[in-house]
Amino acid sequence: DAMAARAAELGQPALGLTDHGVMNGAVDLYKACRKQGIKPIVGLEAYLVDDRRAIKEQSRYERNHLTLLAASDTGFANLVKLTSAGFLEGFSRGKANVDMALLERHSEGIIALTGCLASRFCQRLVADNPAEARAHADDLMQVFGAENVYFEIQRNGIADQDKANEGIVRIAREVGRPLVATGDVHYLGREDYDNHSALLCVQTKSTLAEPKLTFDTNEFYLKDSAEMAEQFAAWPEAVPTTLEIADRCAVDIELGKMLIPSYQTPTGEPEGAYLRRLAEEGLRRRYGDPPPAEAVERLEMELEVIGRMGFDAYFLIVWDFVKYAKDNGIGVGPGRGSAAGSLVSYCLNITEVDPLAYGLLFERFLNPERVSMPDIDIDFSVKGRERVMRYVAEKYGRESVAQIITFGKMAPRAAVRDAARVHGFDYATGDRLAKEIPEPIMGRSPSFEECLKDGEDLRKTYDSDADAAKIIDTAKGLEGKIRNTSIHAAAVVISGRPLKEIVPLQLVEDKSAPPKIGEDGKPAKQFKTVTQYSMGPVEEIGL
């Protein structure tokens, strides 16, 4: 959001996002840019290897960056397939890898840039091997089409980049393709350099005094147009090319649609008719035969709304896996949240609370005036949850079911502990400061803004202790930043077709899996397929 707002403030008409190997932020970028009235350019900085399948057996192999941008909806769909295949077919050492064969399979609608300093093209030029650099550029033009390949130059104060730029310019002119100036953005403003350095230390478990990863220059922020024009004065044509690419990129991510899979009824009857039969049987079971008029009327109204909104299959799918759990002795909660207001849910044994006895409103759960996916909160016993997930995967197809990624963001308490550690202080120092931050209330942590108000304990310490102030200043820069990715404990997505056609997938380490010993006799990491989008975007694209 801050990046899109800053780009709009600078009068820039478009903003691109090319994360390393993943598209986790694609929907967030799309929404943030649309909100600011600028064009989102969805991309991917792919990890390129010689052979995605062979690298798993190799102890050493070359891996380079390659910048890919979606020029059209087809290109966006191809990027989704590329990043998913990078994980599902080329995963090695924690990274999603692609090769030329895979790129060729999914090249339509994609604009390729030759890449940053870590690209194969630049690495060959830095190593004084222009012939191989040219051959690689020819490969890219062969795969994507010459008109879809641009020669990327950067100015970041790094000597190797300056050396590469000379070769990039020469080869671009030889093949008659345009140069494009890009700004590699890792933090928002020049003043965020120190916060970014601290974040790198948190992620690499090192300290600012002895970092494992650093950025040599403070040039990796979002620059304004004047700075870019000045830096690329030697190649003035390279900056306008960014507008040409922005004009060519037109991706429309459809939000707010419904992608509910169909439910195969045992007799082949329509979903609505089968749902009605189950609900009417349940009504008699719950209220006696004949059921009271009030219950019949309420059921009729709910079934009509559910059918009109297109949710017959949704209710049947939920009924089916709740029934599986109850039939197999897996503990299921009585129903939580607004779903308890649905008589259909009660008649299907999804919930155990009588909405008529307690005067609960169906409209709080499903409102025909506001089309949104019904939200049925279901609690399964942790002992049987995995079995329910397995049942769903087998019923709807392993390719159509996945768990959902979740991003752990740094709350003030964790940020203070991390900031103390990267500054080289002992654990007790960070812990003491963290304890001056109030406990989260209903899962919400107070912000530093709240904790540093006059009269608060943390404010007093901040004003009286120079070391504490240094730690807190760094922690403020870390607040809200993503610290890690993991698997959402309870979120599962079911689709009517293979998920990799709709949403990018990735592998995330499954820390809850029972231990497994690898071929080397050591405990082996185990991975699970999850969506690259977190729960919000997954729902927004209609799953």
Side-chain angles (χ1 to χ4, degrees):
D1 287 314
M3 192 164 64
R6 178 73 177 137
E9 188 188 314
L10 296 174
Q12 294 173 349
L15 182 70
L17 181 69
T18 54
D19 273 337
H20 290 172
V22 291
M23 295 172 70
N24 297 129
V27 173
D28 299 291
L29 172 89
Y30 186 82
K31 286 169 58 192
C33 286
R34 285 293 170 95
K35 195 164 105 188
Q36 297 294 341
I38 63 177
K39 181 184 271 191
I41 297 177
V42 184
L44 170 69
E45 192 163 13
Y47 290 110
L48 178 68
V49 297
D50 285 328
D51 183 339
R52 70 186 187 279
R53 296 187 192 279
I55 55 171
K56 291 170 189 175
E57 276 67 60
Q58 296 166 1
S59 56
R60 290 180 70 80
Y61 58 87
E62 184 180 19
R63 174 164 61 205
N64 305 106
H65 292 183
L66 178 65
T67 317
L68 304 174
L69 307 172
S72 62
D73 291 345
T74 302
F76 177 71
N78 273 324
L79 284 186
V80 167
K81 288 171 186 160
L82 274 171
T83 179
S84 300
F87 278 100
L88 302 178
E89 299 174 24
F91 186 70
S92 174
R93 291 192 221 156
K95 303 282 190 250
N97 301 293
V98 303
D99 54 19
M100 281 297 184
L102 197 58
L103 291 172
E104 199 161 5
R105 207 162 80 207
H106 302 297
S107 61
E108 191 187 342
I110 291 176
I111 289 172
L113 314 187
T114 49
C116 63
L117 189 54
S119 68
R120 184 162 297 195
F121 188 61
C122 286
Q123 288 297 300
R124 293 294 184 270
L125 292 169
V126 171
D128 296 314
N129 203 334
E132 280 192 32
R134 169 66 197 265
H136 174 64
D138 287 341
D139 287 345
L140 292 177
M141 290 191 288
Q142 182 75 39
V143 166
F144 294 100
E147 72 286 359
N148 296 319
V149 176
Y150 290 80
F151 284 71
E152 180 176 358
I153 51 175
Q154 295 188 356
R155 294 299 303 275
N156 46 31
I158 297 170
D160 277 351
Q161 181 75 58
D162 293 336
K163 180 179 178 180
N165 285 347
E166 291 172 22
I168 297 168
V169 172
R170 191 176 61 253
I171 295 173
R173 286 178 182 155
E174 278 172 22
V175 300
R177 286 303 297 150
L179 296 172
V180 61
T182 67
D184 197 359
V185 179
H186 284 254
Y187 42 92
L188 196 59
R190 194 182 270 283
E191 67 284 357
D192 293 312
Y193 177 79
D194 290 339
N195 291 336
H196 181 251
S197 299
L199 183 64
L200 291 178
C201 289
V202 170
Q203 291 170 337
T204 56
K205 296 184 168 60
S206 57
T207 63
L208 288 162
E210 291 180 17
K212 287 181 186 168
L213 177 62
T214 57
F215 278 40
D216 300 334
T217 62
N218 186 356
E219 295 291 338
F220 295 91
Y221 61 94
L222 191 62
K223 294 175 181 173
D224 63 35
S225 305
E227 281 178 281
M228 291 294 280
E230 187 187 331
Q231 286 194 310
F232 291 91
W235 313 285
E237 74 277 21
V239 176
T241 310
T242 61
L243 294 172
E244 178 189 315
I245 292 174
D247 281 344
R248 288 188 60 187
C249 290
V251 170
D252 185 24
I253 301 178
E254 224 184 310
L255 302 177
K257 57 182 177 179
M258 300 289 172
L259 297 172
I260 299 171
S262 55
Y263 182 85
Q264 298 301 314
T265 58
T267 55
E269 67 189 300
E271 292 162 341
Y274 187 57
L275 178 65
R276 171 176 288 279
R277 190 149 58 80
L278 291 174
E280 286 173 349
E281 282 170 16
L283 191 72
R284 289 191 291 275
R285 190 175 60 253
R286 292 289 196 186
Y287 294 97
D289 194 0
E294 179 198 7
V296 173
E297 198 178 311
R298 170 75 170 255
L299 189 75
E300 201 56 51
M301 179 272 289
E302 288 193 17
L303 286 170
E304 194 273 325
V305 170
I306 290 165
R308 183 154 38 99
M309 293 178 78
F311 293 135
D312 292 327
Y314 183 98
F315 275 83
L316 290 170
I317 290 165
V318 175
W319 161 77
D320 181 70
F321 65 68
V322 169
K323 181 176 186 301
Y324 167 82
K326 289 182 174 177
D327 288 352
N328 286 275
I330 296 164
V332 183
R336 181 162 53 87
S338 60
S342 165
L343 183 65
V344 169
S345 297
Y346 182 55
C347 291
L348 295 178
N349 287 1
I350 293 170
T351 58
E352 296 296 339
V353 179
D354 182 346
L356 300 182
Y358 294 99
L360 303 177
L361 300 176
F362 176 68
E363 290 74 14
R364 277 198 56 211
F365 170 58
L366 262 195
N367 191 330
E369 306 303 315
R370 186 176 50 85
V371 177
S372 64
M373 199 78 85
D375 183 15
I376 302 180
D377 289 311
I378 299 166
D379 299 301
F380 291 114
S381 160
V382 73
K383 285 180 182 166
R385 191 178 296 163
E386 198 63 42
R387 279 164 63 206
V388 179
M389 289 181 192
R390 214 164 36 238
Y391 169 76
V392 166
E394 277 155 20
K395 184 166 181 96
Y396 298 95
R398 295 199 168 275
E399 285 196 328
S400 302
V401 177
Q403 281 181 259
I404 293 176
I405 202 166
T406 183
F407 301 108
K409 293 187 177 176
M410 286 198 235
R413 283 184 150 207
V416 159
R417 288 191 174 99
D418 278 329
R421 190 182 57 71
V422 303
H423 277 295
F425 290 98
D426 60 10
Y427 177 79
T429 304
D431 193 50
R432 179 173 51 79
L433 284 173
K435 284 176 176 161
E436 291 187 10
I437 295 167
E439 293 267 3
I441 296 168
M442 291 184 74
R444 185 194 164 274
S445 295
S447 67
F448 274 117
E449 200 181 332
E450 294 165 290
C451 298
L452 289 170
K453 283 182 177 161
D454 287 341
E456 296 290 333
D457 290 346
L458 197 68
R459 179 84 228 182
K460 292 171 193 166
T461 307
Y462 182 86
D463 290 337
S464 62
D465 182 337
D467 283 345
K470 182 162 82 167
I471 292 167
I472 292 164
D473 283 339
T474 298
K476 278 159 66 183
L478 296 174
E479 183 184 14
K481 299 289 177 283
I482 290 170
R483 191 181 198 280
N484 61 354
T485 57
S486 56
I487 301 167
H488 194 296
V492 178
V493 62
I494 307 171
S495 159
R497 60 184 202 267
L499 277 166
K500 63 183 179 187
E501 294 175 14
I502 306 167
V503 61
L505 302 175
Q506 76 183 80
L507 298 176
V508 168
E509 189 182 349
D510 184 6
K511 290 181 176 157
S512 66
K516 191 177 177 184
I517 303 300
E519 288 170 15
D520 56 1
K522 294 176 184 168
K525 284 183 178 179
Q526 295 180 67
F527 294 90
K528 225 175 202 171
T529 303
V530 298
T531 59
Q532 284 188 25
Y533 300 158
S534 60
M535 204 147 75
V538 160
E539 204 170 305
E540 284 168 307
I541 63 166
L543 290 167

